[in-house]
Structure formats: structure tokens, C-alpha cells
Amino acid sequence: MNEYTRGAFECLSWLEEVISMLRERGESWEPLSAEIDGAIRDIRRGVGVDFRERLRATV
């Protein structure tokens, strides 16, 4: 995972945590939560594209 992607993942994970706390207070964050989930899925898909090639390069 490159630095840009890692930073985006950390930020989105933090936002996910904040939304979770706000939900506990009874506030609805469903639209934002769905956007964050989609962005995290996109990062995971992108990271996995060349995973096996990167493994071979390190062996």
C-alpha cells in the first residue's frame, strides 16, 4: 500500500470511528457512513490487484 493510500485508509478509518460514536448519541450518519464504506472497499480492491506479483518480488 503506498503512502497516499495508507493515509486515506487511516483517515477513513478514523471517520468511521467518529461516526460510530455519533450513532451512539442517536444521530444518523447513514449517508456519510455509506460513502466511507464504499471508499474503503475501493482501496481494498486496489491494494489487492497486484498482491501476488508483489509477493513474488519479495521472495
Side-chain angles (χ1 to χ4, degrees):
M1 188 179 309
N2 68 37
E3 290 301 313
Y4 179 80
T5 305
R6 184 177 296 126
F9 184 72
E10 289 174 4
C11 176
L12 293 169
S13 296
W14 175 78
L15 284 170
E16 194 173 46
E17 227 9 75
V18 171
I19 289 170
S20 177
M21 288 187 296
L22 292 172
R23 262 194 211 126
E24 290 175 8
R25 296 181 198 163
E27 297 180 36
S28 175
W29 286 85
E30 292 309 315
L32 180 57
S33 181
E35 287 293 323
I36 291 169
D37 288 342
I40 289 172
R41 275 193 307 274
D42 289 346
I43 291 170
R44 286 182 183 142
R45 271 190 230 119
V47 168
V49 170
D50 64 347
F51 177 71
R52 292 189 65 195
E53 287 179 32
R54 287 186 285 147
L55 280 177
R56 286 186 206 110
T58 61
V59 172

